[in-house]
Amino acid sequence: MAEEITVASSSAPEAQVQTPERRPPRSGPGGGRESGGGRKYFRRKKVCKFCVEKIEAINYKDVRLLAQFVAESGKIVPRRLTGVCTPHQRRLSSAIKQARNIALLPFAGRAS
Amino acid sequence: MNRTYELMFIVRPDMAEEDQDRLISSLEGAVGSSGGRVTNVEKMGKRRLAYTVRKFNDGIYILLTFEGGGGLVRELERRLRVSEPVIKFLSVRVDEEQKRLDKIKAVKEARRRAGSAASPAEGGTQEPAVTA
């Protein structure tokens, strides 16, 4: 056992931790230890805007609402970025497509 | 077969007010003659288009809500297609969505009523918790 420690200390002089690959060498701010996934900052859990604010109707005429879920380029922002739940994203995307057809929202961005 | 549809169409921005009214009344006549019923006509006014349509960057949006069958929608779309000042149109069936919303609303209403009926029965425990 003593021999093992000396071997470990020869490779990493200041530490006696047995799992050197676990320690993130670049993690400056605290709280990174328990996540373990190499995540450097705390990410807030995204929630569906429509579930939280109890918005039932997703209508193609409501450009203000739809525009929040359309990127600058005119693309529909994916669920993994906005946190919208699946049923609402489905309604949202169909509403956005209807709005595009009646020229309320762009197909492609302002660049065109 | 009575369904509710919304027919939104865009006419060219330089169309005169009376011409719009004439177009709308002709559409209303078409709805009436095939057994439908116009429930609402809304002129949403001039708006900037999101992209250029027939070299126009603006358009006057008009929304027509009516009840009727699918054949009526086909007839109205045909009319819009042949009428020259109309640059774009979209017809959407809304009754199923409306039914869904009404159902949600009814459920919510029932739940609220049940909650308000239950809270006086429970008495003082519920009331301060809400106010505090």
Side-chain angles (χ1 to χ4, degrees):
Chain A
M1 189 156 181
E3 197 179 84
E4 204 175 315
I5 290 170
T6 53
V7 169
S9 61
S10 68
S11 63
E14 84 286 7
Q16 55 269 62
V17 186
Q18 288 296 94
T19 57
E21 76 278 352
R22 269 307 212 178
R23 292 191 302 113
R26 65 200 176 282
S27 74
R33 183 65 63 87
E34 73 276 4
S35 65
R39 191 177 284 180
K40 275 180 283 181
Y41 54 92
F42 179 69
R43 189 174 286 137
R44 204 182 58 191
K45 175 86 177 133
K46 288 180 200 137
V47 287
C48 175
K49 180 190 170 72
F50 300 100
C51 293
V52 170
E53 298 183 11
K54 302 244 181 347
I55 304 170
E56 310 291 354
I58 303 179
N59 199 301
Y60 68 96
K61 295 194 288 288
D62 195 352
V63 183
R64 284 267 181 76
L65 178 68
L66 299 183
Q68 297 173 16
F69 297 93
V70 175
E72 282 288 302
S73 59
K75 287 182 173 180
I76 300 172
V77 182
R79 244 158 48 68
R80 67 185 146 84
L81 297 185
T82 57
V84 178
C85 68
T86 310
H88 282 132
Q89 178 78 6
R90 203 157 45 220
R91 293 183 183 284
L92 181 67
S93 63
S94 62
I96 289 172
K97 285 166 188 172
Q98 284 174 336
R100 281 174 177 172
N101 266 325
I102 197 71
L104 291 172
L105 288 178
F107 280 101
R110 299 270 91 193
S112 67
Chain B
M1 191 62 79
N2 243 9
R3 292 172 171 167
T4 311
Y5 293 93
E6 274 178 3
L7 182 61
M8 188 186 260
F9 55 98
I10 311 172
V11 296
R12 44 194 298 162
D14 51 2
M15 193 180 187
E17 191 82 18
E18 55 264 32
D19 290 339
Q20 296 172 31
D21 291 335
R22 209 172 301 137
L23 176 66
I24 290 170
S25 60
S26 81
L27 292 177
E28 283 177 333
V31 171
S33 64
S34 60
R37 194 166 64 89
V38 176
T39 50
N40 192 27
V41 179
E42 189 187 347
K43 282 186 194 167
M44 298 168 73
K46 194 180 276 189
R47 247 191 83 97
R48 177 145 290 267
L49 303 177
Y51 47 87
T52 310
V53 183
R54 292 200 198 169
K55 297 186 182 171
F56 292 113
N57 279 318
D58 298 275
I60 299 169
Y61 281 74
I62 299 169
L63 181 69
L64 185 75
T65 315
F66 63 94
E67 292 171 4
L72 177 55
V73 176
R74 203 174 321 132
E75 167 63 16
L76 290 180
E77 289 196 344
R78 190 193 64 80
R79 280 175 183 246
L80 291 179
R81 216 170 272 130
V82 298
S83 67
E84 197 269 326
V86 176
I87 57 177
K88 220 157 171 55
F89 60 86
L90 176 79
S91 45
V92 179
R93 187 178 164 193
V94 292
D95 53 338
E96 289 191 323
E97 176 72 4
Q98 193 57 46
K99 212 162 85 183
R100 195 182 68 89
L101 290 178
D102 288 345
K103 201 169 160 186
I104 291 172
K105 206 172 167 186
V107 167
K108 207 176 276 177
E109 189 73 15
R111 195 171 297 156
R112 204 168 58 93
R113 201 164 293 156
S116 61
S119 61
E122 282 170 333
T125 55
Q126 190 108 357
E127 213 64 64
V130 174
T131 51

